[in-house]
Amino acid sequence: MVKRRPLRNWIFYWINSLETIFLMEQRFLFYFVLALSLIGCSPKASDIYITTNKETYQEGELFFGTINEGLNAVTQLRNEGNKKALTLHIMEGEHRINAAIRISPELGPLKLIGDGVGKSVIKGSKLLNPQWEKFNDHIWMAQLEKEEGFDQLFVNGNKQILARYPNYDEKGGHWQGHAEDAISPERIKTWGNPAGVIVHAMHSGEWGGFHYVSTGVDENGELKLSGGHQNNRPSPMHAKYRMVENVFEELDAPGEWFLDGELKLYYRPAEGTDMSNATVEGVQQKHLLEIVGSEENPVRDIEVSNIRFEHAQHTFMEKYEPLLRSDWTIYRGAAIFVEGTQNVKIRNCELTNLGGNAILASNYNRDLIIAENHIHDCGASGISFVGSPEAVRSPSFQYEEFVPLAELDTVAGPKSNKYPSNSIAENNLINRIGRVEKQTAGVQIAMAMDITVSHNSIYDVPRAGINIGDGTWGGHIIEYNDVFNTVLESGDHGAFNSWGRDRFWHPNRATMNEIVAANPEMPKWDAIHTTVIRNNRFRCDHGWDIDLDDGSSNYHIYNNLCLNGGIKLREGFYRTVENNIMINNGFHPHVWFKNSGDVFKHNIVFTEHKDIRLQDWGKEVDYNLFPDEATLKQTQIKGVDTNSIFGNVLFVDPKLGDYTVKGESPAFKIGFKNIDMDSFGVTNIELKSMAKTPNIPTMFFGDSGEKDAVVQWLGSQIKSITTMAERSASGLNNTAGVLVLAIGPQTVIGKSPLQVGDVIISAEGDKINTVADLMKTYQNNNWKGKLNLTIFRNQKEKQVLLNTKK
């Protein structure tokens, strides 16, 4: 029962009574009377109510049956001079829309407030009423009406699976199941109508993915495909990571469905489903909410809160645009799309079961706050801040492009204001995004300035948790985030990733060396402000915890806890990395310039520096703590870390994730300062109760390492050979190597050639005496996605190639 509201205006009650009577046959009368009645209405009117049940209207209250009708009333109030803040109360219930809700500049200041995310729901789906009949022993069929086409099906609130090969397996890796023969001519022959088949495939380098739709079959029996425009690094399909869907003949598992060109719906329900009483929904809308103005006429002072947004279409075949020279292209749209705004807040909402991006801030936006939302189970990215190339001076769009020096705009900074700035994404729980598209991120920033990303928990993502696509224009603050279970379906990446292929950057390294030598300030033409990465906890098991790739410049990275992948800096200028902890890993400087200005100091590392093709070692690499003398000396041979030391770091409780160092730790001798261990991730009480935290690693190196520990590794249990009994049982001639104790099914090791009882004695040519040795080599090579091993089995050495990704 709706609560009684204060008496406002009997005219409004009369209007809505008329609207109830004439809704279907005389809708025009409602709007006519509405316009008349609002003439002279009280300028104090501020609350409008949207209900899904008109029978609960109360005398004297302003109620509407749809959100758009409520917005029409807001428009009328504005036209009649009401300038005060108005509130659109989205009352409890499912509010289905047949077009995106659109908020334009003349409507503000305005609040859209629900009764709670579990109560007020905005859906872009239509409630269907299929008349089911049996098609065969397992499949039901229903003929839908003309307006009932859709691209996703929900039954009893659960998303169903578009008929696909291979079948859905939550633990199946890429797309929850992939197969090398997904589009083989032999399989295509089994399909009655290959037109309309959807193909998903990874980039050959696992740098994101591609999506295609088949238009038929060629003379070689292969699919004719359109699409493949969703990645900015052209490539053939990956030979293994492929999946097809929308194939009638692949409708062979519970939960699968298929909709043919005549709108006949075929569905194989899970056992026990009562189809006569099942709630069936088809997703029809691309966008759910659009807040759109311009820099000249922005939408101001809007708040959206306490609402669940659900059911938006896939958008992977829409028009995509490249984001400068990053690996990304992007569909400039989302379930909530924000452009041309000032002082907009999106808070305490849930965004789920969405086919594409959840929230996208496009072009000009200022003082946008996206806070305390739960974003999960989405096809693409969580939160994106994406400016316009029109604001970029001399932009280049693909990796190989470069504007000739003679034509290059040499003015620093943006060309216009058409980009997001002074905006915040904080206290959001973001997980299970990128369920379809793989070049995605929990938070994506491109062509933007001064974006703060704070106290977010981001995990279970196919690529980066947080990604910055270019150096334009820096000033971002990335702090207090908890980012883990990342790069699950891609490669050569990090929990945090950035690119900086800005004006100074050239695809030919020799040319780039000449350019920056002649123009030493050029790297700051685009990265005009320092980006700060501080006080975060990162874990990436398939790459680096922090990955500053190709040319990323002007960063200050400090007070971060890196649990697995270490820190990589490739190319770029003016990066200071200090006071970080890198558990079981260390520093990866790749392809540095001369006079880069880079600094690496006061850090706790567990391995020697893993440098690749450095011209020199930057401004300063020194005063770091290493786990033992041998590791320190291996590093000092490189001509750095003269004043660095080694020793047991003495963490307070590393098994429980407390890496505070004790007062007697040698870390203080090199200038290290303790990091707050209690401020990572969301602080909102409700979201924190739902949020996961990363697995705490076993430490392998130095005096802190657990020499005889049984370690979990890629779905196996392993330990160092330490006893004569273990050596004798394995037939080894010395007490060394790593013994495989157990292997879990459907895991990386479970799908590999390794067997229980194998002893790993070499990896990538490195001798393996202990688990620490294996982890050191693995950490240095896992971004490649494979590891060459030598094992000892049945008294013989054997070569094994281990694919470290599912």
PDB file of all heavy atoms in Angstrom, residues 156-174:
ATOM      1  N   ASN A 156      12.411 -16.533 -15.287  1.00  0.00           N
ATOM      2  CA  ASN A 156      12.358 -16.497 -13.820  1.00  0.00           C
ATOM      3  C   ASN A 156      13.518 -15.691 -13.242  1.00  0.00           C
ATOM      4  O   ASN A 156      14.114 -16.053 -12.218  1.00  0.00           O
ATOM      5  CB  ASN A 156      12.329 -17.913 -13.250  1.00  0.00           C
ATOM      6  CG  ASN A 156      11.062 -18.650 -13.625  1.00  0.00           C
ATOM      7  OD1 ASN A 156      10.014 -18.041 -13.831  1.00  0.00           O
ATOM      8  ND2 ASN A 156      11.145 -19.977 -13.738  1.00  0.00           N
ATOM      9  N   GLY A 157      13.877 -14.592 -13.930  1.00  0.00           N
ATOM     10  CA  GLY A 157      14.903 -13.682 -13.451  1.00  0.00           C
ATOM     11  C   GLY A 157      16.320 -14.068 -13.785  1.00  0.00           C
ATOM     12  O   GLY A 157      17.250 -13.311 -13.487  1.00  0.00           O
ATOM     13  N   ASN A 158      16.530 -15.223 -14.410  1.00  0.00           N
ATOM     14  CA  ASN A 158      17.872 -15.703 -14.708  1.00  0.00           C
ATOM     15  C   ASN A 158      18.162 -15.631 -16.204  1.00  0.00           C
ATOM     16  O   ASN A 158      17.322 -16.024 -17.032  1.00  0.00           O
ATOM     17  CB  ASN A 158      18.043 -17.144 -14.233  1.00  0.00           C
ATOM     18  CG  ASN A 158      17.876 -17.275 -12.737  1.00  0.00           C
ATOM     19  OD1 ASN A 158      18.464 -16.505 -11.975  1.00  0.00           O
ATOM     20  ND2 ASN A 158      17.069 -18.231 -12.301  1.00  0.00           N
ATOM     21  N   LYS A 159      19.357 -15.153 -16.550  1.00  0.00           N
ATOM     22  CA  LYS A 159      19.733 -15.072 -17.950  1.00  0.00           C
ATOM     23  C   LYS A 159      19.920 -16.464 -18.531  1.00  0.00           C
ATOM     24  O   LYS A 159      20.558 -17.329 -17.943  1.00  0.00           O
ATOM     25  CB  LYS A 159      21.029 -14.269 -18.119  1.00  0.00           C
ATOM     26  CG  LYS A 159      21.392 -14.051 -19.579  1.00  0.00           C
ATOM     27  CD  LYS A 159      22.618 -13.178 -19.739  1.00  0.00           C
ATOM     28  CE  LYS A 159      22.940 -12.978 -21.218  1.00  0.00           C
ATOM     29  NZ  LYS A 159      24.129 -12.115 -21.414  1.00  0.00           N
ATOM     30  N   GLN A 160      19.345 -16.678 -19.710  1.00  0.00           N
ATOM     31  CA  GLN A 160      19.468 -17.950 -20.405  1.00  0.00           C
ATOM     32  C   GLN A 160      20.552 -17.847 -21.487  1.00  0.00           C
ATOM     33  O   GLN A 160      21.058 -16.762 -21.785  1.00  0.00           O
ATOM     34  CB  GLN A 160      18.125 -18.345 -21.004  1.00  0.00           C
ATOM     35  CG  GLN A 160      17.000 -18.407 -19.980  1.00  0.00           C
ATOM     36  CD  GLN A 160      17.286 -19.354 -18.826  1.00  0.00           C
ATOM     37  OE1 GLN A 160      17.391 -20.562 -19.001  1.00  0.00           O
ATOM     38  NE2 GLN A 160      17.430 -18.803 -17.617  1.00  0.00           N
ATOM     39  N   ILE A 161      20.912 -18.961 -22.076  1.00  0.00           N
ATOM     40  CA  ILE A 161      22.099 -19.053 -22.922  1.00  0.00           C
ATOM     41  C   ILE A 161      21.679 -19.187 -24.379  1.00  0.00           C
ATOM     42  O   ILE A 161      20.969 -20.131 -24.752  1.00  0.00           O
ATOM     43  CB  ILE A 161      22.953 -20.267 -22.506  1.00  0.00           C
ATOM     44  CG1 ILE A 161      23.370 -20.130 -21.037  1.00  0.00           C
ATOM     45  CG2 ILE A 161      24.180 -20.398 -23.403  1.00  0.00           C
ATOM     46  CD1 ILE A 161      23.810 -21.429 -20.400  1.00  0.00           C
ATOM     47  N   LEU A 162      22.088 -18.236 -25.195  1.00  0.00           N
ATOM     48  CA  LEU A 162      21.837 -18.317 -26.628  1.00  0.00           C
ATOM     49  C   LEU A 162      22.567 -19.538 -27.176  1.00  0.00           C
ATOM     50  O   LEU A 162      23.763 -19.718 -26.914  1.00  0.00           O
ATOM     51  CB  LEU A 162      22.325 -17.043 -27.303  1.00  0.00           C
ATOM     52  CG  LEU A 162      22.096 -16.904 -28.806  1.00  0.00           C
ATOM     53  CD1 LEU A 162      20.622 -17.047 -29.165  1.00  0.00           C
ATOM     54  CD2 LEU A 162      22.632 -15.559 -29.297  1.00  0.00           C
ATOM     55  N   ALA A 163      21.855 -20.381 -27.917  1.00  0.00           N
ATOM     56  CA  ALA A 163      22.394 -21.669 -28.367  1.00  0.00           C
ATOM     57  C   ALA A 163      23.804 -21.514 -28.922  1.00  0.00           C
ATOM     58  O   ALA A 163      24.028 -20.728 -29.852  1.00  0.00           O
ATOM     59  CB  ALA A 163      21.463 -22.273 -29.420  1.00  0.00           C
ATOM     60  N   ARG A 164      24.759 -22.272 -28.396  1.00  0.00           N
ATOM     61  CA  ARG A 164      26.164 -22.004 -28.647  1.00  0.00           C
ATOM     62  C   ARG A 164      26.993 -23.283 -28.678  1.00  0.00           C
ATOM     63  O   ARG A 164      26.553 -24.353 -28.226  1.00  0.00           O
ATOM     64  CB  ARG A 164      26.722 -21.085 -27.567  1.00  0.00           C
ATOM     65  CG  ARG A 164      26.486 -21.590 -26.144  1.00  0.00           C
ATOM     66  CD  ARG A 164      27.254 -20.781 -25.103  1.00  0.00           C
ATOM     67  NE  ARG A 164      28.656 -21.180 -25.054  1.00  0.00           N
ATOM     68  CZ  ARG A 164      29.599 -20.530 -24.374  1.00  0.00           C
ATOM     69  NH1 ARG A 164      29.288 -19.440 -23.707  1.00  0.00           N
ATOM     70  NH2 ARG A 164      30.847 -20.965 -24.364  1.00  0.00           N
ATOM     71  N   TYR A 165      28.217 -23.110 -29.216  1.00  0.00           N
ATOM     72  CA  TYR A 165      29.233 -24.156 -29.158  1.00  0.00           C
ATOM     73  C   TYR A 165      30.570 -23.505 -28.826  1.00  0.00           C
ATOM     74  O   TYR A 165      30.934 -22.507 -29.453  1.00  0.00           O
ATOM     75  CB  TYR A 165      29.356 -24.921 -30.479  1.00  0.00           C
ATOM     76  CG  TYR A 165      30.501 -25.911 -30.469  1.00  0.00           C
ATOM     77  CD1 TYR A 165      30.360 -27.137 -29.829  1.00  0.00           C
ATOM     78  CD2 TYR A 165      31.722 -25.601 -31.061  1.00  0.00           C
ATOM     79  CE1 TYR A 165      31.416 -28.043 -29.799  1.00  0.00           C
ATOM     80  CE2 TYR A 165      32.776 -26.497 -31.030  1.00  0.00           C
ATOM     81  CZ  TYR A 165      32.615 -27.715 -30.401  1.00  0.00           C
ATOM     82  OH  TYR A 165      33.657 -28.611 -30.355  1.00  0.00           O
ATOM     83  N   PRO A 166      31.321 -24.055 -27.875  1.00  0.00           N
ATOM     84  CA  PRO A 166      30.927 -25.157 -27.011  1.00  0.00           C
ATOM     85  C   PRO A 166      29.918 -24.712 -25.958  1.00  0.00           C
ATOM     86  O   PRO A 166      29.684 -23.507 -25.787  1.00  0.00           O
ATOM     87  CB  PRO A 166      32.245 -25.582 -26.364  1.00  0.00           C
ATOM     88  CG  PRO A 166      33.041 -24.334 -26.313  1.00  0.00           C
ATOM     89  CD  PRO A 166      32.698 -23.579 -27.556  1.00  0.00           C
ATOM     90  N   ASN A 167      29.351 -25.683 -25.249  1.00  0.00           N
ATOM     91  CA  ASN A 167      28.353 -25.362 -24.246  1.00  0.00           C
ATOM     92  C   ASN A 167      28.950 -24.543 -23.110  1.00  0.00           C
ATOM     93  O   ASN A 167      30.158 -24.581 -22.848  1.00  0.00           O
ATOM     94  CB  ASN A 167      27.733 -26.645 -23.688  1.00  0.00           C
ATOM     95  CG  ASN A 167      26.780 -27.289 -24.682  1.00  0.00           C
ATOM     96  OD1 ASN A 167      26.233 -26.613 -25.556  1.00  0.00           O
ATOM     97  ND2 ASN A 167      26.585 -28.591 -24.560  1.00  0.00           N
ATOM     98  N   TYR A 168      28.089 -23.807 -22.447  1.00  0.00           N
ATOM     99  CA  TYR A 168      28.499 -22.918 -21.354  1.00  0.00           C
ATOM    100  C   TYR A 168      29.061 -23.724 -20.193  1.00  0.00           C
ATOM    101  O   TYR A 168      28.489 -24.717 -19.752  1.00  0.00           O
ATOM    102  CB  TYR A 168      27.299 -22.117 -20.887  1.00  0.00           C
ATOM    103  CG  TYR A 168      27.593 -21.085 -19.821  1.00  0.00           C
ATOM    104  CD1 TYR A 168      27.809 -19.767 -20.178  1.00  0.00           C
ATOM    105  CD2 TYR A 168      27.644 -21.430 -18.475  1.00  0.00           C
ATOM    106  CE1 TYR A 168      28.073 -18.799 -19.210  1.00  0.00           C
ATOM    107  CE2 TYR A 168      27.906 -20.476 -17.500  1.00  0.00           C
ATOM    108  CZ  TYR A 168      28.127 -19.165 -17.871  1.00  0.00           C
ATOM    109  OH  TYR A 168      28.383 -18.223 -16.914  1.00  0.00           O
ATOM    110  N   ASP A 169      30.238 -23.283 -19.700  1.00  0.00           N
ATOM    111  CA  ASP A 169      30.882 -23.871 -18.526  1.00  0.00           C
ATOM    112  C   ASP A 169      31.502 -22.727 -17.744  1.00  0.00           C
ATOM    113  O   ASP A 169      32.444 -22.094 -18.204  1.00  0.00           O
ATOM    114  CB  ASP A 169      31.953 -24.882 -18.956  1.00  0.00           C
ATOM    115  CG  ASP A 169      32.761 -25.427 -17.781  1.00  0.00           C
ATOM    116  OD1 ASP A 169      32.433 -25.113 -16.623  1.00  0.00           O
ATOM    117  OD2 ASP A 169      33.733 -26.165 -18.030  1.00  0.00           O
ATOM    118  N   GLU A 170      30.977 -22.421 -16.588  1.00  0.00           N
ATOM    119  CA  GLU A 170      31.435 -21.266 -15.819  1.00  0.00           C
ATOM    120  C   GLU A 170      32.945 -21.288 -15.595  1.00  0.00           C
ATOM    121  O   GLU A 170      33.586 -20.245 -15.486  1.00  0.00           O
ATOM    122  CB  GLU A 170      30.701 -21.207 -14.471  1.00  0.00           C
ATOM    123  CG  GLU A 170      31.040 -19.991 -13.621  1.00  0.00           C
ATOM    124  CD  GLU A 170      30.714 -18.658 -14.288  1.00  0.00           C
ATOM    125  OE1 GLU A 170      29.713 -18.575 -15.024  1.00  0.00           O
ATOM    126  OE2 GLU A 170      31.464 -17.687 -14.056  1.00  0.00           O
ATOM    127  N   LYS A 171      33.548 -22.473 -15.540  1.00  0.00           N
ATOM    128  CA  LYS A 171      34.987 -22.586 -15.335  1.00  0.00           C
ATOM    129  C   LYS A 171      35.729 -22.850 -16.638  1.00  0.00           C
ATOM    130  O   LYS A 171      36.882 -23.288 -16.629  1.00  0.00           O
ATOM    131  CB  LYS A 171      35.284 -23.693 -14.330  1.00  0.00           C
ATOM    132  CG  LYS A 171      34.723 -23.425 -12.936  1.00  0.00           C
ATOM    133  CD  LYS A 171      35.077 -24.538 -11.964  1.00  0.00           C
ATOM    134  CE  LYS A 171      34.542 -24.249 -10.569  1.00  0.00           C
ATOM    135  NZ  LYS A 171      34.893 -25.330  -9.607  1.00  0.00           N
ATOM    136  N   GLY A 172      35.074 -22.554 -17.758  1.00  0.00           N
ATOM    137  CA  GLY A 172      35.643 -22.904 -19.055  1.00  0.00           C
ATOM    138  C   GLY A 172      36.576 -21.876 -19.653  1.00  0.00           C
ATOM    139  O   GLY A 172      36.990 -22.014 -20.806  1.00  0.00           O
ATOM    140  N   GLY A 173      36.935 -20.818 -18.892  1.00  0.00           N
ATOM    141  CA  GLY A 173      37.857 -19.819 -19.427  1.00  0.00           C
ATOM    142  C   GLY A 173      37.160 -18.818 -20.333  1.00  0.00           C
ATOM    143  O   GLY A 173      36.052 -18.370 -20.053  1.00  0.00           O
ATOM    144  N   HIS A 174      37.793 -18.485 -21.447  1.00  0.00           N
ATOM    145  CA  HIS A 174      37.274 -17.464 -22.354  1.00  0.00           C
ATOM    146  C   HIS A 174      35.823 -17.776 -22.745  1.00  0.00           C
ATOM    147  O   HIS A 174      35.516 -18.859 -23.246  1.00  0.00           O
ATOM    148  CB  HIS A 174      38.124 -17.405 -23.623  1.00  0.00           C
ATOM    149  CG  HIS A 174      39.567 -17.077 -23.373  1.00  0.00           C
ATOM    150  ND1 HIS A 174      40.437 -17.956 -22.778  1.00  0.00           N
ATOM    151  CD2 HIS A 174      40.283 -15.969 -23.646  1.00  0.00           C
ATOM    152  CE1 HIS A 174      41.636 -17.404 -22.691  1.00  0.00           C
ATOM    153  NE2 HIS A 174      41.572 -16.193 -23.214  1.00  0.00           N
TER     154      HIS A 174
END
